[in-house]
Amino acid sequence: MNLLRKGFATIVAECRNRGAYFTAIMYAGHIVGLLRGLFFRAVYYKNIKASLFFLQANSRIEVFSKASRVTIGRFVYIRKNASLRVDLGGELHLGDKVFINDNCNINCVGRVSIGAHTKIAPNVCINDHDHNYKSSSNDHLLIGEVTIGSNVWIGSNVVILRDTTIGDNAVIAAGSIVKGNVPSDTVFMNKRERHYIPYAAASGAP
């Protein structure tokens, strides 16, 4: 009963702040996202263990092996055009209330774990493997793990590579490339220096 009262109070507050029309549109989108989440859960019923989660338009969960496993916590919200791809013996874990913004990609063939309340900005790419371009054998992938703690903020256009651990409450600055260990309660930022070359020198003009 308390949950219903809280939900009703939230809707009333949203109507006051946004207007009833826009609140209705927003919640209609939430309902569609919830139905899409249930659809993918049904399609991969042997592979996905999930509570209620939201999957907005053009976002997909793709499972390509009977050995792959996906665990999705309560009220995970995945916005538009995101791709979650799990293959081979991959294990993907999303904790409660993880938020994944537009155009994100997660590619998992080993293990990717994202802790509760972590928020991921648009255009983030997470890979737990690399292509083994030096090998001529059938072992064409170098497989590792990615572990992201709870309450982490990952900025736009970040790339997270295999064998990376990000501690709780860390902040990853926009545009960073992350590999290795990022301690808890820290801000990670790739240092980038700008180099300007005079046009005349770059073009070879005398």
Side-chain angles (χ1 to χ4, degrees), residues 75-97:
F75 303 115
V76 168
Y77 199 95
I78 302 168
R79 292 197 66 184
K80 298 177 181 178
N81 303 311
S83 173
L84 282 63
R85 183 185 179 104
V86 188
D87 201 351
L88 304 179
E91 297 180 11
L92 173 62
H93 174 79
L94 305 179
D96 293 345
K97 297 186 178 180

Side-chain angles (χ1 to χ4, degrees), residues 53-206:
F53 69 99
F54 303 84
L55 193 68
Q56 285 199 325
N58 298 321
S59 289
R60 300 181 62 85
I61 300 172
E62 298 177 301
V63 179
F64 293 106
S65 171
K66 64 182 181 181
S68 300
R69 294 291 180 265
V70 180
T71 304
I72 302 176
R74 296 177 302 153
F75 303 115
V76 168
Y77 199 95
I78 302 168
R79 292 197 66 184
K80 298 177 181 178
N81 303 311
S83 173
L84 282 63
R85 183 185 179 104
V86 188
D87 201 351
L88 304 179
E91 297 180 11
L92 173 62
H93 174 79
L94 305 179
D96 293 345
K97 297 186 178 180
V98 166
F99 176 81
I100 299 175
N101 216 317
D102 299 333
N103 305 311
C104 290
N105 291 281
I106 300 175
N107 296 294
C108 174
V109 297
R111 188 174 190 275
V112 175
S113 177
I114 301 176
H117 301 280
T118 286
K119 294 178 175 57
I120 301 176
N123 306 311
V124 170
C125 185
I126 301 172
N127 293 286
D128 67 359
H129 61 281
D130 292 322
H131 288 281
N132 188 9
Y133 65 91
K134 294 182 179 180
S135 175
S136 58
S137 69
N138 291 328
D139 298 329
H140 63 287
L141 296 178
L142 300 172
I143 299 174
E145 294 187 7
V146 172
T147 302
I148 300 171
S150 299
N151 198 39
V152 173
W153 167 248
I154 300 173
S156 299
N157 302 303
V158 166
V159 177
I160 299 175
L161 302 175
R162 69 178 175 94
D163 296 331
T164 293
T165 298
I166 300 174
D168 295 343
N169 309 309
V171 176
I172 310 299
S176 295
I177 299 174
V178 189
K179 183 175 175 65
N181 294 323
V182 177
S184 299
D185 304 300
T186 59
V187 177
F188 177 91
M189 179 185 301
N190 283 146
K191 183 178 180 182
R192 290 178 174 80
E193 297 180 357
R194 296 183 180 182
H195 298 279
Y196 296 96
I197 302 173
Y199 177 77
S203 62

